[in-house]
Amino acid sequence: MRICIEIPATPQHIDEVYQALASLWERAGSLLVQVVDPQTRICFETALVEVITNQIRHAYPETGVLGTVQIELILEDDHVEANLIDHGAAFESNQFLQTQPAINVENVAEGGYGLRLATALLDKIEYARIDNGNLWKLLKIF
């Protein structure tokens, strides 16, 4: 099963992502043999929204140009995946792939944990720069 949407790259449109996910889970109930458990749903939804929020914030910095994020959600018998495409600034993947310093719980910053969280919640996350755009692939096995 596949659902595709395209949203303006603004935080106000994150609700549309949740609506698409709700539709995916609802349709899954009648089509899949295996029910997707609530924990898997929460993990995938959280990771997905974290990555999309990063796309909105970093791919389209405040330049006055409004971009979009194309979202493809795919649900199979044993996994759920997402392909996310934007045509904004490139992601500096070498920064993320470096070893992250330990978190100081005494002085926790407000941001900067989205991709760490997404990586911990998913079975696989990949990034590629394609055709003047960014492609994120997210996978959660159940």
Side-chain angles (χ1 to χ4, degrees):
M1 173 183 342
R2 184 180 311 259
I3 293 179
C4 298
I5 64 170
E6 185 170 358
I7 63 168
T10 63
Q12 295 83 353
H13 292 276
I14 291 293
D15 236 16
E16 294 173 43
V17 177
Y18 284 113
Q19 291 170 7
L21 284 163
S23 177
L24 186 75
W25 303 136
E26 182 180 312
R27 289 170 49 194
S30 62
L31 297 175
L32 295 179
V33 174
Q34 179 177 338
V35 175
V36 182
D37 65 276
Q39 183 175 351
T40 297
R41 289 180 186 192
I42 291 169
C43 289
F44 185 75
E45 289 177 6
T46 302
L48 177 67
V49 170
E50 285 294 336
V51 174
I52 292 171
T53 301
N54 275 354
Q55 285 178 288
I56 291 169
R57 181 175 295 140
H58 300 293
Y60 299 107
E62 296 179 26
T63 60
V65 176
L66 179 63
T68 61
V69 179
Q70 299 167 0
I71 303 159
E72 178 185 36
L73 302 172
I74 303 164
L75 185 61
E76 299 288 346
D77 286 335
D78 64 346
H79 70 275
V80 60
E81 60 186 276
N83 296 312
L84 311 171
I85 297 173
D86 68 71
H87 295 284
F91 172 65
E92 299 295 331
S93 59
N94 59 341
Q95 291 176 349
F96 177 69
L97 298 175
Q98 293 174 356
T99 303
Q100 299 291 322
I103 298 171
N104 178 353
V105 294
E106 299 288 323
N107 189 18
V108 176
E110 182 177 325
Y113 301 104
L115 289 179
R116 286 188 203 181
L117 179 61
T119 301
L121 294 172
L122 297 168
D123 292 295
K124 189 174 189 179
I125 184 170
E126 296 177 346
Y127 166 79
R129 182 76 178 160
I130 56 159
D131 300 327
N132 295 321
N134 301 298
L135 168 63
W136 288 90
K137 292 179 163 274
L138 288 58
L139 174 72
K140 181 69 178 172
I141 299 169
F142 47 85

